[in-house]
Amino acid sequence: MIVAQRKSIPELQDIIKEKKNILVLGCGTCVTVCLAGGEREVSIISSALRIASKKAGEAIKVNELTIERQCDNVFIETAADEIKKCDAVLSLGCGAGVQAIAERYPDKPVYAGLDTAFLGILESRGVWTEKCAQCGACVLADFGGICPVTRCAKHMLNGPCGGSRIDRCEISPNQPCAWQMIYKRLSDIGETDKLKKIYPAKNWSKSLDGGSRTIIREDHRI
Amino acid sequence: MRAIENGADGVLIAGCLEGGCHYIDGNLFARKRVTATRALLEECGIDKERLRMVNISAAMAKNLVDVIFDMVDTVKKLGPNPIKPQSLGFKPQAACCNIEVESEIEK
């Protein structure tokens, strides 16, 4: 899922300054799961903004709404009335959600209330870790399901680098060495032969090179 | 947040003693959330001492009274909630349990 974090209240105040009627718009999908932009967080951030603005001597109206998914026009439509009534939307969706709302309402200021951080998983309660760099050319099949592009600090495809200590990365004792994990995993599943292959330089043309990416499925187009 | 937003001068949250909660670890989660909310209040420009949590059991009446008076003293020093409409005046209240503090505070 997409993992995000809220911006600080002073940052948000600066973003919405001079707007008097704000809609704080949450998203019921990824950012709800990572406790950054769901219904509960919309309520908390809205309350904080009302308190902060009153403290600053400003009178702003903050409305709250959470829709099922901000990156989908079908669900964005359900927020149409509230969006039309406000001066600006403070979206607590991910970067995709914010842009989807902005594209759907070209005349309405739409601001991001979160910092979208990474694609990851819930490791344990309150802990999310990055697992995928969305490089566009997945190598997981060759590395036992552990991504060196994301989880190796040097993004090495032919590791380990020699800087690790036992099973820890040299950048931090808290950071496991991805290559140690890859070796152990491939040993466990009997695929260490894969490590004999020298990986060529990665083809980054499928990543952000050349601008934002588009996937077209002709079999699903209308 | 809602209590402060609605004009409470201070909020005192009382949980069971650690390890003595009927909900096992509900009071421990509550403490973490209160800590996070205190930080959020500071971000909003509100003194975090307006929100406090104590762990206390049903058999600790005197301690509870001491804690309440300590909270009242703190709130008196801080003055009225800066976002409270002036018309509401300064009357420290325990927000979540409707305990009105003695009238001498108002004097």
Side-chain angles (χ1 to χ4, degrees), chain B residues 58-94:
Chain B
M60 297 165 71
K62 183 179 182 313
N63 300 50
L64 180 61
V65 170
D66 291 345
V67 161
I68 290 173
F69 274 101
D70 186 47
M71 182 75 191
V72 170
D73 283 343
T74 302
V75 171
K76 279 173 78 177
K77 282 178 193 151
L78 291 172
N81 179 344
I83 68 162
K84 177 163 60 176
Q86 293 300 312
S87 58
L88 292 180
F90 182 37
K91 186 181 181 184
Q93 290 183 330

PDB file of all heavy atoms in Angstrom, chain B residues 58-94:
ATOM      1  N   ALA B  58      -9.613   3.186  41.642  1.00  0.00           N
ATOM      2  CA  ALA B  58     -10.845   3.619  42.313  1.00  0.00           C
ATOM      3  C   ALA B  58     -10.645   3.764  43.816  1.00  0.00           C
ATOM      4  O   ALA B  58     -11.425   4.427  44.494  1.00  0.00           O
ATOM      5  CB  ALA B  58     -11.956   2.604  42.033  1.00  0.00           C
ATOM      6  N   ALA B  59      -9.575   3.161  44.342  1.00  0.00           N
ATOM      7  CA  ALA B  59      -9.342   3.217  45.795  1.00  0.00           C
ATOM      8  C   ALA B  59      -8.389   4.344  46.186  1.00  0.00           C
ATOM      9  O   ALA B  59      -7.935   4.409  47.314  1.00  0.00           O
ATOM     10  CB  ALA B  59      -8.770   1.883  46.265  1.00  0.00           C
ATOM     11  N   MET B  60      -8.077   5.223  45.239  1.00  0.00           N
ATOM     12  CA  MET B  60      -7.086   6.272  45.515  1.00  0.00           C
ATOM     13  C   MET B  60      -7.734   7.650  45.472  1.00  0.00           C
ATOM     14  O   MET B  60      -7.309   8.538  44.727  1.00  0.00           O
ATOM     15  CB  MET B  60      -5.950   6.179  44.496  1.00  0.00           C
ATOM     16  CG  MET B  60      -5.171   4.864  44.585  1.00  0.00           C
ATOM     17  SD  MET B  60      -4.135   4.553  43.147  1.00  0.00           S
ATOM     18  CE  MET B  60      -2.864   5.769  43.374  1.00  0.00           C
ATOM     19  N   ALA B  61      -8.756   7.814  46.309  1.00  0.00           N
ATOM     20  CA  ALA B  61      -9.539   9.055  46.281  1.00  0.00           C
ATOM     21  C   ALA B  61      -8.671  10.289  46.561  1.00  0.00           C
ATOM     22  O   ALA B  61      -8.758  11.300  45.865  1.00  0.00           O
ATOM     23  CB  ALA B  61     -10.670   8.967  47.293  1.00  0.00           C
ATOM     24  N   LYS B  62      -7.830  10.199  47.586  1.00  0.00           N
ATOM     25  CA  LYS B  62      -7.028  11.377  47.952  1.00  0.00           C
ATOM     26  C   LYS B  62      -6.087  11.765  46.805  1.00  0.00           C
ATOM     27  O   LYS B  62      -5.939  12.933  46.474  1.00  0.00           O
ATOM     28  CB  LYS B  62      -6.234  11.102  49.229  1.00  0.00           C
ATOM     29  CG  LYS B  62      -5.454  12.344  49.656  1.00  0.00           C
ATOM     30  CD  LYS B  62      -4.665  12.174  50.909  1.00  0.00           C
ATOM     31  CE  LYS B  62      -3.944  13.466  51.295  1.00  0.00           C
ATOM     32  NZ  LYS B  62      -3.250  14.095  50.218  1.00  0.00           N
ATOM     33  N   ASN B  63      -5.462  10.734  46.217  1.00  0.00           N
ATOM     34  CA  ASN B  63      -4.557  11.009  45.098  1.00  0.00           C
ATOM     35  C   ASN B  63      -5.301  11.693  43.950  1.00  0.00           C
ATOM     36  O   ASN B  63      -4.779  12.608  43.316  1.00  0.00           O
ATOM     37  CB  ASN B  63      -3.935   9.705  44.578  1.00  0.00           C
ATOM     38  CG  ASN B  63      -3.151   9.005  45.645  1.00  0.00           C
ATOM     39  OD1 ASN B  63      -3.658   8.799  46.747  1.00  0.00           O
ATOM     40  ND2 ASN B  63      -1.917   8.631  45.348  1.00  0.00           N
ATOM     41  N   LEU B  64      -6.524  11.225  43.707  1.00  0.00           N
ATOM     42  CA  LEU B  64      -7.309  11.811  42.623  1.00  0.00           C
ATOM     43  C   LEU B  64      -7.591  13.288  42.906  1.00  0.00           C
ATOM     44  O   LEU B  64      -7.456  14.150  42.036  1.00  0.00           O
ATOM     45  CB  LEU B  64      -8.618  11.040  42.438  1.00  0.00           C
ATOM     46  CG  LEU B  64      -9.533  11.565  41.329  1.00  0.00           C
ATOM     47  CD1 LEU B  64      -8.837  11.497  39.972  1.00  0.00           C
ATOM     48  CD2 LEU B  64     -10.836  10.773  41.268  1.00  0.00           C
ATOM     49  N   VAL B  65      -7.961  13.561  44.161  1.00  0.00           N
ATOM     50  CA  VAL B  65      -8.233  14.957  44.538  1.00  0.00           C
ATOM     51  C   VAL B  65      -6.965  15.793  44.349  1.00  0.00           C
ATOM     52  O   VAL B  65      -7.009  16.900  43.791  1.00  0.00           O
ATOM     53  CB  VAL B  65      -8.728  15.036  46.007  1.00  0.00           C
ATOM     54  CG1 VAL B  65      -8.775  16.482  46.480  1.00  0.00           C
ATOM     55  CG2 VAL B  65     -10.099  14.389  46.125  1.00  0.00           C
ATOM     56  N   ASP B  66      -5.809  15.261  44.781  1.00  0.00           N
ATOM     57  CA  ASP B  66      -4.544  16.000  44.629  1.00  0.00           C
ATOM     58  C   ASP B  66      -4.247  16.293  43.163  1.00  0.00           C
ATOM     59  O   ASP B  66      -3.838  17.393  42.805  1.00  0.00           O
ATOM     60  CB  ASP B  66      -3.379  15.185  45.224  1.00  0.00           C
ATOM     61  CG  ASP B  66      -3.480  15.102  46.746  1.00  0.00           C
ATOM     62  OD1 ASP B  66      -4.257  15.889  47.330  1.00  0.00           O
ATOM     63  OD2 ASP B  66      -2.799  14.243  47.340  1.00  0.00           O
ATOM     64  N   VAL B  67      -4.457  15.267  42.349  1.00  0.00           N
ATOM     65  CA  VAL B  67      -4.190  15.422  40.916  1.00  0.00           C
ATOM     66  C   VAL B  67      -5.107  16.481  40.305  1.00  0.00           C
ATOM     67  O   VAL B  67      -4.679  17.315  39.496  1.00  0.00           O
ATOM     68  CB  VAL B  67      -4.376  14.051  40.211  1.00  0.00           C
ATOM     69  CG1 VAL B  67      -4.570  14.218  38.723  1.00  0.00           C
ATOM     70  CG2 VAL B  67      -3.194  13.148  40.490  1.00  0.00           C
ATOM     71  N   ILE B  68      -6.371  16.453  40.719  1.00  0.00           N
ATOM     72  CA  ILE B  68      -7.330  17.430  40.180  1.00  0.00           C
ATOM     73  C   ILE B  68      -6.932  18.848  40.589  1.00  0.00           C
ATOM     74  O   ILE B  68      -6.905  19.762  39.761  1.00  0.00           O
ATOM     75  CB  ILE B  68      -8.765  17.103  40.649  1.00  0.00           C
ATOM     76  CG1 ILE B  68      -9.260  15.829  39.959  1.00  0.00           C
ATOM     77  CG2 ILE B  68      -9.704  18.266  40.356  1.00  0.00           C
ATOM     78  CD1 ILE B  68     -10.592  15.316  40.468  1.00  0.00           C
ATOM     79  N   PHE B  69      -6.552  19.013  41.865  1.00  0.00           N
ATOM     80  CA  PHE B  69      -6.178  20.359  42.309  1.00  0.00           C
ATOM     81  C   PHE B  69      -4.877  20.812  41.640  1.00  0.00           C
ATOM     82  O   PHE B  69      -4.712  21.988  41.323  1.00  0.00           O
ATOM     83  CB  PHE B  69      -6.088  20.419  43.841  1.00  0.00           C
ATOM     84  CG  PHE B  69      -7.426  20.691  44.460  1.00  0.00           C
ATOM     85  CD1 PHE B  69      -8.176  19.658  45.009  1.00  0.00           C
ATOM     86  CD2 PHE B  69      -7.966  21.965  44.449  1.00  0.00           C
ATOM     87  CE1 PHE B  69      -9.432  19.896  45.549  1.00  0.00           C
ATOM     88  CE2 PHE B  69      -9.224  22.205  44.981  1.00  0.00           C
ATOM     89  CZ  PHE B  69      -9.970  21.186  45.539  1.00  0.00           C
ATOM     90  N   ASP B  70      -3.977  19.862  41.404  1.00  0.00           N
ATOM     91  CA  ASP B  70      -2.737  20.201  40.699  1.00  0.00           C
ATOM     92  C   ASP B  70      -3.061  20.668  39.283  1.00  0.00           C
ATOM     93  O   ASP B  70      -2.484  21.632  38.777  1.00  0.00           O
ATOM     94  CB  ASP B  70      -1.811  18.975  40.677  1.00  0.00           C
ATOM     95  CG  ASP B  70      -0.460  19.326  40.093  1.00  0.00           C
ATOM     96  OD1 ASP B  70       0.112  20.359  40.497  1.00  0.00           O
ATOM     97  OD2 ASP B  70       0.019  18.584  39.210  1.00  0.00           O
ATOM     98  N   MET B  71      -4.011  19.962  38.663  1.00  0.00           N
ATOM     99  CA  MET B  71      -4.426  20.339  37.301  1.00  0.00           C
ATOM    100  C   MET B  71      -5.065  21.730  37.317  1.00  0.00           C
ATOM    101  O   MET B  71      -4.796  22.563  36.436  1.00  0.00           O
ATOM    102  CB  MET B  71      -5.437  19.301  36.780  1.00  0.00           C
ATOM    103  CG  MET B  71      -5.912  19.548  35.362  1.00  0.00           C
ATOM    104  SD  MET B  71      -4.637  19.105  34.173  1.00  0.00           S
ATOM    105  CE  MET B  71      -5.306  19.791  32.681  1.00  0.00           C
ATOM    106  N   VAL B  72      -5.893  21.961  38.316  1.00  0.00           N
ATOM    107  CA  VAL B  72      -6.549  23.265  38.428  1.00  0.00           C
ATOM    108  C   VAL B  72      -5.501  24.371  38.607  1.00  0.00           C
ATOM    109  O   VAL B  72      -5.573  25.428  37.964  1.00  0.00           O
ATOM    110  CB  VAL B  72      -7.560  23.269  39.600  1.00  0.00           C
ATOM    111  CG1 VAL B  72      -8.054  24.687  39.882  1.00  0.00           C
ATOM    112  CG2 VAL B  72      -8.731  22.360  39.281  1.00  0.00           C
ATOM    113  N   ASP B  73      -4.493  24.111  39.456  1.00  0.00           N
ATOM    114  CA  ASP B  73      -3.429  25.103  39.654  1.00  0.00           C
ATOM    115  C   ASP B  73      -2.714  25.394  38.334  1.00  0.00           C
ATOM    116  O   ASP B  73      -2.436  26.548  38.005  1.00  0.00           O
ATOM    117  CB  ASP B  73      -2.398  24.588  40.676  1.00  0.00           C
ATOM    118  CG  ASP B  73      -2.933  24.704  42.098  1.00  0.00           C
ATOM    119  OD1 ASP B  73      -3.911  25.452  42.297  1.00  0.00           O
ATOM    120  OD2 ASP B  73      -2.386  24.036  42.993  1.00  0.00           O
ATOM    121  N   THR B  74      -2.439  24.319  37.609  1.00  0.00           N
ATOM    122  CA  THR B  74      -1.750  24.476  36.313  1.00  0.00           C
ATOM    123  C   THR B  74      -2.573  25.336  35.380  1.00  0.00           C
ATOM    124  O   THR B  74      -2.066  26.269  34.753  1.00  0.00           O
ATOM    125  CB  THR B  74      -1.521  23.082  35.666  1.00  0.00           C
ATOM    126  OG1 THR B  74      -0.763  22.291  36.568  1.00  0.00           O
ATOM    127  CG2 THR B  74      -0.788  23.208  34.349  1.00  0.00           C
ATOM    128  N   VAL B  75      -3.864  25.031  35.307  1.00  0.00           N
ATOM    129  CA  VAL B  75      -4.737  25.764  34.388  1.00  0.00           C
ATOM    130  C   VAL B  75      -4.876  27.226  34.829  1.00  0.00           C
ATOM    131  O   VAL B  75      -4.889  28.137  33.996  1.00  0.00           O
ATOM    132  CB  VAL B  75      -6.117  25.070  34.290  1.00  0.00           C
ATOM    133  CG1 VAL B  75      -7.111  25.927  33.526  1.00  0.00           C
ATOM    134  CG2 VAL B  75      -5.969  23.717  33.626  1.00  0.00           C
ATOM    135  N   LYS B  76      -4.917  27.436  36.146  1.00  0.00           N
ATOM    136  CA  LYS B  76      -5.007  28.823  36.635  1.00  0.00           C
ATOM    137  C   LYS B  76      -3.773  29.620  36.213  1.00  0.00           C
ATOM    138  O   LYS B  76      -3.867  30.776  35.818  1.00  0.00           O
ATOM    139  CB  LYS B  76      -5.137  28.838  38.162  1.00  0.00           C
ATOM    140  CG  LYS B  76      -6.558  28.574  38.647  1.00  0.00           C
ATOM    141  CD  LYS B  76      -6.610  28.425  40.133  1.00  0.00           C
ATOM    142  CE  LYS B  76      -6.552  29.752  40.849  1.00  0.00           C
ATOM    143  NZ  LYS B  76      -6.680  29.598  42.313  1.00  0.00           N
ATOM    144  N   LYS B  77      -2.620  28.970  36.324  1.00  0.00           N
ATOM    145  CA  LYS B  77      -1.380  29.652  35.919  1.00  0.00           C
ATOM    146  C   LYS B  77      -1.386  29.948  34.425  1.00  0.00           C
ATOM    147  O   LYS B  77      -0.899  30.981  33.976  1.00  0.00           O
ATOM    148  CB  LYS B  77      -0.163  28.789  36.275  1.00  0.00           C
ATOM    149  CG  LYS B  77       0.197  28.849  37.753  1.00  0.00           C
ATOM    150  CD  LYS B  77       1.373  27.940  38.064  1.00  0.00           C
ATOM    151  CE  LYS B  77       1.501  27.759  39.569  1.00  0.00           C
ATOM    152  NZ  LYS B  77       2.078  26.470  39.938  1.00  0.00           N
ATOM    153  N   LEU B  78      -1.907  29.006  33.648  1.00  0.00           N
ATOM    154  CA  LEU B  78      -1.920  29.195  32.187  1.00  0.00           C
ATOM    155  C   LEU B  78      -2.959  30.226  31.756  1.00  0.00           C
ATOM    156  O   LEU B  78      -2.843  30.823  30.691  1.00  0.00           O
ATOM    157  CB  LEU B  78      -2.225  27.854  31.488  1.00  0.00           C
ATOM    158  CG  LEU B  78      -1.134  26.784  31.563  1.00  0.00           C
ATOM    159  CD1 LEU B  78      -1.651  25.465  31.007  1.00  0.00           C
ATOM    160  CD2 LEU B  78       0.099  27.220  30.792  1.00  0.00           C
ATOM    161  N   GLY B  79      -3.988  30.402  32.580  1.00  0.00           N
ATOM    162  CA  GLY B  79      -5.062  31.333  32.214  1.00  0.00           C
ATOM    163  C   GLY B  79      -6.088  30.649  31.334  1.00  0.00           C
ATOM    164  O   GLY B  79      -6.010  29.450  31.080  1.00  0.00           O
ATOM    165  N   PRO B  80      -7.061  31.429  30.847  1.00  0.00           N
ATOM    166  CA  PRO B  80      -8.124  30.820  30.044  1.00  0.00           C
ATOM    167  C   PRO B  80      -7.597  30.256  28.733  1.00  0.00           C
ATOM    168  O   PRO B  80      -6.585  30.719  28.213  1.00  0.00           O
ATOM    169  CB  PRO B  80      -9.089  31.976  29.772  1.00  0.00           C
ATOM    170  CG  PRO B  80      -8.584  33.140  30.511  1.00  0.00           C
ATOM    171  CD  PRO B  80      -7.221  32.858  31.032  1.00  0.00           C
ATOM    172  N   ASN B  81      -8.308  29.275  28.238  1.00  0.00           N
ATOM    173  CA  ASN B  81      -8.023  28.724  26.906  1.00  0.00           C
ATOM    174  C   ASN B  81      -8.038  29.884  25.901  1.00  0.00           C
ATOM    175  O   ASN B  81      -9.044  30.577  25.770  1.00  0.00           O
ATOM    176  CB  ASN B  81      -9.126  27.699  26.585  1.00  0.00           C
ATOM    177  CG  ASN B  81      -8.956  27.074  25.213  1.00  0.00           C
ATOM    178  OD1 ASN B  81      -8.231  27.568  24.374  1.00  0.00           O
ATOM    179  ND2 ASN B  81      -9.655  25.970  25.015  1.00  0.00           N
ATOM    180  N   PRO B  82      -6.921  30.107  25.195  1.00  0.00           N
ATOM    181  CA  PRO B  82      -6.846  31.283  24.323  1.00  0.00           C
ATOM    182  C   PRO B  82      -7.843  31.284  23.169  1.00  0.00           C
ATOM    183  O   PRO B  82      -8.081  32.330  22.568  1.00  0.00           O
ATOM    184  CB  PRO B  82      -5.399  31.239  23.803  1.00  0.00           C
ATOM    185  CG  PRO B  82      -4.943  29.853  23.997  1.00  0.00           C
ATOM    186  CD  PRO B  82      -5.677  29.330  25.190  1.00  0.00           C
ATOM    187  N   ILE B  83      -8.422  30.149  22.866  1.00  0.00           N
ATOM    188  CA  ILE B  83      -9.386  30.148  21.744  1.00  0.00           C
ATOM    189  C   ILE B  83     -10.829  30.160  22.232  1.00  0.00           C
ATOM    190  O   ILE B  83     -11.756  30.115  21.439  1.00  0.00           O
ATOM    191  CB  ILE B  83      -9.166  28.952  20.795  1.00  0.00           C
ATOM    192  CG1 ILE B  83      -9.523  27.637  21.489  1.00  0.00           C
ATOM    193  CG2 ILE B  83      -7.759  28.923  20.258  1.00  0.00           C
ATOM    194  CD1 ILE B  83      -9.749  26.506  20.505  1.00  0.00           C
ATOM    195  N   LYS B  84     -10.995  30.230  23.551  1.00  0.00           N
ATOM    196  CA  LYS B  84     -12.368  30.227  24.083  1.00  0.00           C
ATOM    197  C   LYS B  84     -13.002  31.603  23.882  1.00  0.00           C
ATOM    198  O   LYS B  84     -12.373  32.609  24.161  1.00  0.00           O
ATOM    199  CB  LYS B  84     -12.335  29.885  25.564  1.00  0.00           C
ATOM    200  CG  LYS B  84     -13.704  29.922  26.214  1.00  0.00           C
ATOM    201  CD  LYS B  84     -13.720  29.207  27.527  1.00  0.00           C
ATOM    202  CE  LYS B  84     -12.754  29.793  28.540  1.00  0.00           C
ATOM    203  NZ  LYS B  84     -12.873  29.123  29.840  1.00  0.00           N
ATOM    204  N   PRO B  85     -14.253  31.638  23.411  1.00  0.00           N
ATOM    205  CA  PRO B  85     -14.929  32.927  23.314  1.00  0.00           C
ATOM    206  C   PRO B  85     -14.944  33.600  24.686  1.00  0.00           C
ATOM    207  O   PRO B  85     -15.207  32.949  25.697  1.00  0.00           O
ATOM    208  CB  PRO B  85     -16.351  32.554  22.866  1.00  0.00           C
ATOM    209  CG  PRO B  85     -16.213  31.203  22.261  1.00  0.00           C
ATOM    210  CD  PRO B  85     -15.092  30.528  22.966  1.00  0.00           C
ATOM    211  N   GLN B  86     -14.645  34.897  24.717  1.00  0.00           N
ATOM    212  CA  GLN B  86     -14.553  35.623  25.983  1.00  0.00           C
ATOM    213  C   GLN B  86     -15.833  35.509  26.808  1.00  0.00           C
ATOM    214  O   GLN B  86     -15.810  35.496  28.030  1.00  0.00           O
ATOM    215  CB  GLN B  86     -14.264  37.111  25.717  1.00  0.00           C
ATOM    216  CG  GLN B  86     -12.895  37.365  25.111  1.00  0.00           C
ATOM    217  CD  GLN B  86     -11.765  36.876  26.002  1.00  0.00           C
ATOM    218  OE1 GLN B  86     -11.762  37.162  27.194  1.00  0.00           O
ATOM    219  NE2 GLN B  86     -10.835  36.135  25.435  1.00  0.00           N
ATOM    220  N   SER B  87     -16.953  35.383  26.109  1.00  0.00           N
ATOM    221  CA  SER B  87     -18.241  35.350  26.805  1.00  0.00           C
ATOM    222  C   SER B  87     -18.373  34.156  27.752  1.00  0.00           C
ATOM    223  O   SER B  87     -19.149  34.177  28.701  1.00  0.00           O
ATOM    224  CB  SER B  87     -19.377  35.319  25.784  1.00  0.00           C
ATOM    225  OG  SER B  87     -19.217  34.186  24.963  1.00  0.00           O
ATOM    226  N   LEU B  88     -17.593  33.114  27.481  1.00  0.00           N
ATOM    227  CA  LEU B  88     -17.706  31.924  28.323  1.00  0.00           C
ATOM    228  C   LEU B  88     -16.986  32.087  29.660  1.00  0.00           C
ATOM    229  O   LEU B  88     -17.221  31.321  30.594  1.00  0.00           O
ATOM    230  CB  LEU B  88     -17.139  30.695  27.587  1.00  0.00           C
ATOM    231  CG  LEU B  88     -17.934  30.226  26.368  1.00  0.00           C
ATOM    232  CD1 LEU B  88     -17.266  29.022  25.739  1.00  0.00           C
ATOM    233  CD2 LEU B  88     -19.362  29.872  26.758  1.00  0.00           C
ATOM    234  N   GLY B  89     -16.092  33.084  29.753  1.00  0.00           N
ATOM    235  CA  GLY B  89     -15.401  33.337  31.011  1.00  0.00           C
ATOM    236  C   GLY B  89     -14.397  32.236  31.339  1.00  0.00           C
ATOM    237  O   GLY B  89     -14.204  31.299  30.570  1.00  0.00           O
ATOM    238  N   PHE B  90     -13.768  32.366  32.496  1.00  0.00           N
ATOM    239  CA  PHE B  90     -12.732  31.423  32.903  1.00  0.00           C
ATOM    240  C   PHE B  90     -13.270  30.532  34.002  1.00  0.00           C
ATOM    241  O   PHE B  90     -13.430  30.935  35.140  1.00  0.00           O
ATOM    242  CB  PHE B  90     -11.507  32.203  33.388  1.00  0.00           C
ATOM    243  CG  PHE B  90     -10.354  31.311  33.783  1.00  0.00           C
ATOM    244  CD1 PHE B  90     -10.074  30.142  33.080  1.00  0.00           C
ATOM    245  CD2 PHE B  90      -9.544  31.643  34.848  1.00  0.00           C
ATOM    246  CE1 PHE B  90      -9.016  29.328  33.437  1.00  0.00           C
ATOM    247  CE2 PHE B  90      -8.475  30.835  35.215  1.00  0.00           C
ATOM    248  CZ  PHE B  90      -8.215  29.680  34.506  1.00  0.00           C
ATOM    249  N   LYS B  91     -13.611  29.331  33.652  1.00  0.00           N
ATOM    250  CA  LYS B  91     -14.155  28.412  34.634  1.00  0.00           C
ATOM    251  C   LYS B  91     -13.577  27.026  34.356  1.00  0.00           C
ATOM    252  O   LYS B  91     -14.136  26.244  33.578  1.00  0.00           O
ATOM    253  CB  LYS B  91     -15.687  28.387  34.514  1.00  0.00           C
ATOM    254  CG  LYS B  91     -16.355  27.559  35.588  1.00  0.00           C
ATOM    255  CD  LYS B  91     -17.857  27.580  35.372  1.00  0.00           C
ATOM    256  CE  LYS B  91     -18.543  26.782  36.465  1.00  0.00           C
ATOM    257  NZ  LYS B  91     -19.979  26.696  36.254  1.00  0.00           N
ATOM    258  N   PRO B  92     -12.405  26.752  34.960  1.00  0.00           N
ATOM    259  CA  PRO B  92     -11.770  25.459  34.660  1.00  0.00           C
ATOM    260  C   PRO B  92     -12.710  24.289  34.904  1.00  0.00           C
ATOM    261  O   PRO B  92     -13.382  24.217  35.932  1.00  0.00           O
ATOM    262  CB  PRO B  92     -10.587  25.425  35.632  1.00  0.00           C
ATOM    263  CG  PRO B  92     -10.307  26.844  35.949  1.00  0.00           C
ATOM    264  CD  PRO B  92     -11.640  27.527  35.944  1.00  0.00           C
ATOM    265  N   GLN B  93     -12.762  23.386  33.943  1.00  0.00           N
ATOM    266  CA  GLN B  93     -13.632  22.227  34.078  1.00  0.00           C
ATOM    267  C   GLN B  93     -12.885  20.975  33.660  1.00  0.00           C
ATOM    268  O   GLN B  93     -12.000  21.029  32.825  1.00  0.00           O
ATOM    269  CB  GLN B  93     -14.859  22.370  33.158  1.00  0.00           C
ATOM    270  CG  GLN B  93     -15.813  23.450  33.602  1.00  0.00           C
ATOM    271  CD  GLN B  93     -17.020  23.493  32.702  1.00  0.00           C
ATOM    272  OE1 GLN B  93     -16.944  23.179  31.534  1.00  0.00           O
ATOM    273  NE2 GLN B  93     -18.136  23.897  33.265  1.00  0.00           N
ATOM    274  N   ALA B  94     -13.247  19.866  34.271  1.00  0.00           N
ATOM    275  CA  ALA B  94     -12.734  18.587  33.800  1.00  0.00           C
ATOM    276  C   ALA B  94     -13.635  18.173  32.660  1.00  0.00           C
ATOM    277  O   ALA B  94     -14.805  17.886  32.855  1.00  0.00           O
ATOM    278  CB  ALA B  94     -12.778  17.560  34.920  1.00  0.00           C
TER     279      ALA B  94
END
